[in-house]
Amino acid sequence: MPTGEVEMLLYDLGNSKQRRKTYNEDREAFLKRYRVSASEAQMVANEDVEGLLRLGLNPMLVMGFYMGLHGSRSMPEYLAQAPTLESCLIEWGMSR
């Protein structure tokens, strides 16, 4: 699944205070500016860190998006939502 538009959306929210303000004022209208699927838009709206990472998005990009919305002290919450290496290996059938 191509992720370029989702990446742009996360980049914009993670790096632009004005875009975050616009997003927080009307999330639905903001998300319609980007060519993302309904499920991708839902992941962004729900701040679904695990889902976004499982799409194959860069973890630093997802982290920037999350911390842009919640501030730099939100790292523990971000990490709590990220899939662990162990859970990925199990999902991929690569566990012992």
Side-chain angles (χ1 to χ4, degrees):
M1 167 185 314
T3 58
E5 198 71 13
V6 180
E7 290 171 337
M8 182 57 70
L9 168 55
L10 296 186
Y11 179 85
D12 287 348
L13 288 173
N15 291 288
S16 171
K17 191 174 186 176
Q18 180 58 45
R19 289 197 173 122
R20 283 192 298 275
K21 181 178 182 288
T22 303
Y23 172 74
N24 286 322
E25 289 170 355
D26 188 347
R27 290 181 177 202
E28 188 175 327
F30 185 88
L31 291 170
K32 287 182 180 178
R33 296 177 181 183
Y34 296 84
R35 289 178 284 183
V36 296
S37 70
S39 64
E40 292 166 337
Q42 191 66 42
M43 280 187 239
V44 173
N46 291 341
E47 300 168 20
D48 180 359
V49 168
E50 182 175 1
L52 292 166
L53 291 171
R54 290 190 186 280
L55 281 179
L57 297 171
N58 183 299
M60 296 300 289
L61 182 64
V62 177
M63 182 185 73
F65 153 72
Y66 190 84
M67 293 178 71
L69 294 177
H70 297 284
S72 62
R73 295 178 187 244
S74 63
M75 179 61 88
E77 292 87 8
Y78 167 79
L79 292 173
Q81 294 182 53
T84 64
L85 176 58
E86 181 181 17
S87 70
C88 290
L89 290 174
I90 291 168
E91 181 181 320
W92 301 329
M94 299 173 72
S95 64
R96 293 187 215 176

